[in-house]
Amino acid sequence: TQLLEQSPQFLSIQEGENLTVYCNSSSVFSSLQWYRQEPGEGPVLLVTVVTGGEVKKLKRLTFQFGDARKDSSLHITAAQPGDTGLYLCAGAYAGGTSYGKLTFGQGTILTVHP
Amino acid sequence: DTAVSQTPKYLVTQMGNDKSIKCEQNLGHDTMYWYKQDSKKFLKIMFSYNNKELIINETVPNRFSPKSPDKAHLNLHINSLELGDSAVYFCASSRRLAGGPTGELFFGEGSRLTVL
């Protein structure tokens, strides 16, 4: 069974602080995605990373893919209350019976207080 | 127009009953999925269909039966509901198989099933 460990599970911070969420596995991903989910809605894709060592920026969000493609991180600078939500990483393990199947991490519930 | 729509949004029923959840996508995608999100927010794939063909069938009790009448629809029927089936069920679609550069998942709003 391929597992994706996401940490921390809960994060409660003040507006303006920085934070990092981690996603780790012992297996190699063909690609990794980060999603954000708000209450009562489905997850929405933030980014897909494919190449080892890749860094992508989305405004105040920075996504990194590990060189070995086994881990990823999401860093948010100067968090705002609007960043509050559930953040999910999801890895794809290409090949064999796993092709096309995304495995999700346990999620990080982020609360940013004004 | 909602890209991925699923009905009903809320479902409260008794143990032992049979219920269905319907899903439709108007994105022209080839692949559709059912995911289950438990009370701890863990999201786990149940089934996936590509061009109406079942391609992913996780270890799910055979009380759960998906059906894809066409590429735009994927329904989920659940027989003999149990307490442990209570969860939020998400339908999703993607243009290509999930995970690759073109494998973005588009999720519906979810169907919250409560079994009493």
Side-chain angles (χ1 to χ4, degrees):
Chain A
T1 304
Q2 292 143 339
L3 292 175
L4 248 179
E5 294 190 6
Q6 190 173 337
S7 62
Q9 190 177 354
F10 300 95
L11 205 48
S12 180
I13 61 172
Q14 292 298 124
E15 182 175 1
E17 291 184 20
N18 301 332
L19 66 109
T20 303
V21 179
Y22 300 92
C23 188
N24 296 288
S25 174
S26 57
S27 302
V28 176
F29 304 119
S30 62
S31 66
L32 189 136
Q33 297 177 333
W34 284 92
Y35 289 80
R36 179 166 171 256
Q37 183 180 8
E38 298 196 38
E41 298 181 10
V44 176
L45 181 72
L46 295 173
V47 77
T48 299
V49 286
V50 179
T51 306
E54 184 175 3
V55 177
K56 282 192 174 179
K57 290 194 174 186
L58 191 66
K59 295 184 181 177
R60 292 175 296 99
L61 277 59
T62 302
F63 304 86
Q64 287 190 303
F65 200 15
D67 291 340
R69 291 188 291 138
K70 292 185 178 181
D71 58 272
S72 180
S73 64
L74 157 61
H75 183 78
I76 301 180
T77 304
Q80 299 176 1
D83 295 327
T84 294
L86 173 67
Y87 289 81
L88 297 158
C89 64
Y93 302 93
T97 58
S98 297
Y99 189 61
K101 183 168 70 176
L102 273 183
T103 298
F104 280 83
Q106 304 97 316
T108 296
I109 297 176
L110 171 65
T111 305
V112 182
H113 302 279
Chain B
D1 275 350
T2 305
V4 181
S5 59
Q6 48 184 115
T7 56
K9 188 163 185 176
Y10 299 96
L11 200 49
V12 181
T13 189
Q14 299 286 331
M15 268 197 312
N17 285 349
D18 304 339
K19 289 294 176 187
S20 292
I21 307 172
K22 295 186 175 182
C23 179
E24 176 182 4
Q25 55 95 2
N26 62 6
L27 298 166
H29 289 167
D30 288 338
T31 310
M32 295 185 73
Y33 311 79
W34 277 111
Y35 278 84
K36 178 181 179 181
Q37 188 170 48
D38 62 23
S39 58
K40 294 184 178 180
K41 304 300 183 186
F42 184 59
L43 203 58
K44 186 168 167 46
I45 191 168
M46 300 174 68
F47 302 103
S48 175
Y49 274 75
N50 181 252
N51 285 317
K52 299 196 299 173
E53 181 183 344
L54 181 66
I55 56 169
I56 294 174
N57 185 352
E58 287 298 278
T59 308
V60 177
N62 57 17
R63 297 183 294 103
F64 290 78
S65 52
K67 184 169 280 189
S68 181
D70 55 59
K71 285 198 316 182
H73 296 84
L74 180 62
N75 303 323
L76 182 66
H77 186 77
I78 315 170
N79 290 324
S80 304
L81 279 157
E82 299 177 357
L83 293 176
D85 297 333
S86 296
V88 181
Y89 292 85
F90 283 98
C91 176
S93 72
S94 65
R95 185 156 60 94
R96 298 286 186 265
L97 293 177
T102 57
E104 172 182 358
L105 286 178
F106 290 81
F107 285 87
E109 291 187 327
S111 297
R112 180 176 293 277
L113 171 65
T114 303
V115 182
L116 303 174

